[in-house]
Structure formats: structure tokens, C-alpha cells
Amino acid sequence: MTTTQQPPLPPSGPPHGHGHEGPSDGGHGHSHSHGPAAPVSAHLRKIIAAVLIPFAAAVVVGLAVLWPGGAPGHERTGVGFDRQTQQATVTKVDEVDCKSVNASGGTPTGDTSTAEGSSAQQQASGTCKKATVRIDSGKDKGRTFTEIVQPDSSRQLKQGQEVIVAYAPDAPEELQYSVTDVNRKLPMVLLAGIFALAVVVVGRMRGVMALIALAVSFMILTFFILPAILQGSNPLVVAVVGASAIMLIALYMCHGLSARTSVAVLGTLLSLLLIGLLGSLFIDWAALTGNTDDNTGLIHGLYPSIDMSGLLLAGVIIGSLGVLDDVTVTQTSAVWELHEANPTMGWRGLYRAGIRIGRDHIASVVNTLVLAYAGAALPLLLLFSIAQSSVGTVANSELVAEEIVRTLVGSIGLVASVPVTTALAALVVSADRPGGSAPVQPSPAQPQPQPQSGQRTPLRGGSGRRRKH
């Protein structure tokens, strides 16, 4: 049995334990890829702080200056979402002849091959449902009313079903309430609970922090961004301040207060600035008003002072933020791990290796963005397909042009975030020289301790090396 010669031991400090790995001290031990990032030098921390602290201070000042006192009140119009609603329950459903409950009376004589003619035929000769609905909330709790459900209605009521009803105080008493939607509270809460459980089980403490950051993001969106825009503040300025606050809170809560996270913050910030500039340029150049459907029309009617094109740009910035966080954090972590694996690699080598990872990432992310917007606009695209409109006609319509500009501007920002963040991370880790990180090697003349008979050879730094047999 032979024993291989062990590397020289450090000249100072107590010998390490025998045959097992212990925690490293003073930064002299080897690092693990699954642990936290290696600390950077104090000089580099000062440089990063000199950039981020003024930015964070500006965000806090922006929040204080623009913070609203709440959404301004207005007289309800009763249109769309701008109406009073209450919770209710369907207590009884009876089948009745449509002729006895519909006001149209006689059988239609028009063309029944069309959608309108077929619907009129069913309403005249079909079987309708007469639902009795009980109000479960509000000042009229316990009151009941009847709802007639046509045979061709997409939503059919059933006994025991929980629904949402709209209240029109100016209508006749028998017509003040009407069913507008189904109460989906239970399945939505259950699905949210499953999501939170999955995040915590897989992510553990990181998952808990991610959920907290998500809650904070929704609070900023609900209590700052939306009310500030409604109060007349510039939507672009509000979106930049709100998105910056969300970015700082989410990234540092989820990934820790470190130089690695700070580089990701800087990369995200630069990419958001690019998205804001491009979005502002092309929204103005393409003459996009941001007022393209009933909801935006209602907002403009209630609050004429809101800049709708600025609201569109604010949506582009906020919508791009979530994907940007993913890209910048991934690229920064990749560069850090490459440096940990090969500390001798210079910034050019780190950048080339990191950008190869980024190309694969960005290809899938851009495709994800396009498919997400296409999926959201699928009914609209179907209408254009039914009308047999050309691609040029479809793309030129403002409703579709908004989505195209939103997608392309956000994608350009994502593509740019890869080289920007990778270059920043490579420059930071390659320029960093933490003091005292290199182990002190003994001089050749210094005698080395020899193992006594029957003893195991001390292992350097708990590296886990064993004798060969």
C-alpha cells in the first residue's frame, strides 16, 4: 500500500480535521456552486453602491412625490365594469315556454340561416329558463328577483349556483338587478393556493420570498401606479417609478443583497430605459392613441385628462419588467458561476461564454412573448381571418399595431439585456480582487509535518482527498 504525497499545508493556523470536510474559514476554503456568491472587494462594493444608492433614493423620492391619496371618485355610469355589483345565489330554475316570457311575441319570418335569424327562432319557439335569484350582500340582502335565460345563451344558470349581479338604482324596481357573471371566488382561491404551495415546496425559502415579492408588486400596482395615473400624473413617469420600485424590491428579496443581484438590477435598469425610449419613439411615430376598445374608451370618457398613449407606453414598460428580471438574473448568475469554475478566465472569455448561454435563453424568451400576445389576441385574430383580411390590413389596424409595437419593443429590450448584463457581470467579476482570497503558500525550505505511523494524512482545507490503495 502506497501513500501519495499530499500538497503543502498552510504554515499558520491549526490543522484541519481528519477525514471529513469542515467549513472554510476566512474565505480560504473552496467555494460551492450551490452556495451564495463569493463576496466582492470593498472597493467594488463602493462603486456599485455609488451607482445604486442614488438610483434607489430617486425612486423613493418619486414614490413620495407621486403617491396618490386614493383613486378619485366619480358618478357611476353603469357601463361595463363601472357599475355596482353584489353577490347572489340562484335558488330555483324553472323551464318555461319562450313565447310566454319574451316580449317579441310572434314567430320570426326572416332568414333563419343567419346567426341573428337562428337566435330569434330559438327565442320564439324554444324553451327558456326562469331563474329565481336571491341577493346575498348589500342593502337589499335577502331580496329575490327573476332572470330569464334564453336557450341560445352562452351561460346557463342552475340551482345553487353563486353569481354576481349588477345593480342599477335608477331602473324600475323589478329591473334593478340582473345577473352579469358567475362567482368564481372558490376555484380562483384554490388555484392560487395550489400555486403558492408548489412555489414553497420547490423553492423553499426562495419560494417564500418570491411570494412576498409578488404580493408587494401587486400592492405597488394597486395602491400607487393605478391611482396615480387616475389622479392625472404622467403615466410614463408613474410607470418608471413604480416599475423601478418593483424591480428593486423583487430582485433583492428573491436573490439577496449582493453584488450579483446589483449587476442584474443595473442590467434591468438599462434595458428598461431602452424600452422606454423605443416605445415613446414608435408609439408617437405610428400615431397610436391607446384608445382602441370599450374599456379604454370608458376610461377616456371618465377621465379625459389621462394621456392614453402614455398609458400604452406604461403598459409596455411594466409588461416587459417580469421577463427582463428573468433574463438579467440568469445571465448574471451564469457569468458568476463561470468565474467560480475558472477564476483565471478574463472578462472577454467570460463574456463570450455568457453570451453563448444568453443566445439560447433569448431565443426561447422572444418566442414566448410573441406567443403570449398572440394567445391573448386570438379572438381578434379569428375575426380578421373570418373577414379574410390581408396581413398588411390586419397589421395596419391600430388594435393590432399596438400589440405589434408592444411585442417588438419589449423583445428588443430583452435582446439588448443579454449583452448588456453579460458585459457588466463579466467586467465586475474579472476586475474584482478581494484581498486575502488566495491561500498563502509556504516557502520550499519550510519543513512539512509527516504523518505518524497509524495516523491518516491531514487533508488540506477539508478537500476530501484520500490515499490510494
Side-chain angles (χ1 to χ4, degrees), residues 198-224:
V199 170
V200 172
V201 169
V202 177
R204 297 186 181 181
M205 183 52 67
R206 283 281 182 92
V208 173
M209 299 306 294
L211 290 176
I212 296 174
L214 180 63
V216 173
S217 300
F218 272 108
M219 290 176 62
I220 293 176
L221 183 66
T222 304
F223 296 107
F224 171 70

Side-chain angles (χ1 to χ4, degrees), residues 146-195:
T146 58
E147 179 89 3
I148 303 300
V149 183
Q150 303 297 333
D152 60 338
S153 176
S154 60
R155 182 181 297 112
Q156 297 292 320
L157 301 179
K158 56 185 179 181
Q159 186 172 346
Q161 188 175 28
E162 295 184 349
V163 294
I164 302 296
V165 297
Y167 175 61
D170 298 332
E173 185 176 355
E174 66 275 9
L175 300 177
Q176 286 182 336
Y177 286 98
S178 61
V179 177
T180 60
D181 211 341
V182 173
N183 192 337
R184 303 180 180 89
K185 183 182 297 184
L186 179 60
M188 299 295 284
V189 170
L190 180 61
L191 182 59
I194 295 174
F195 163 74

Side-chain angles (χ1 to χ4, degrees), residues 102-157:
N102 288 335
S104 56
T107 303
T109 57
D111 184 6
T112 58
S113 63
T114 64
E116 294 82 359
S118 176
S119 177
Q121 179 70 28
Q122 292 184 49
Q123 292 181 19
S125 58
T127 301
C128 295
K129 291 182 179 179
K130 184 178 181 181
T132 302
V133 184
R134 183 189 68 238
I135 309 297
D136 295 334
S137 63
K139 63 183 182 63
D140 291 328
K141 182 178 180 180
R143 175 179 166 182
T144 61
F145 68 96
T146 58
E147 179 89 3
I148 303 300
V149 183
Q150 303 297 333
D152 60 338
S153 176
S154 60
R155 182 181 297 112
Q156 297 292 320
L157 301 179

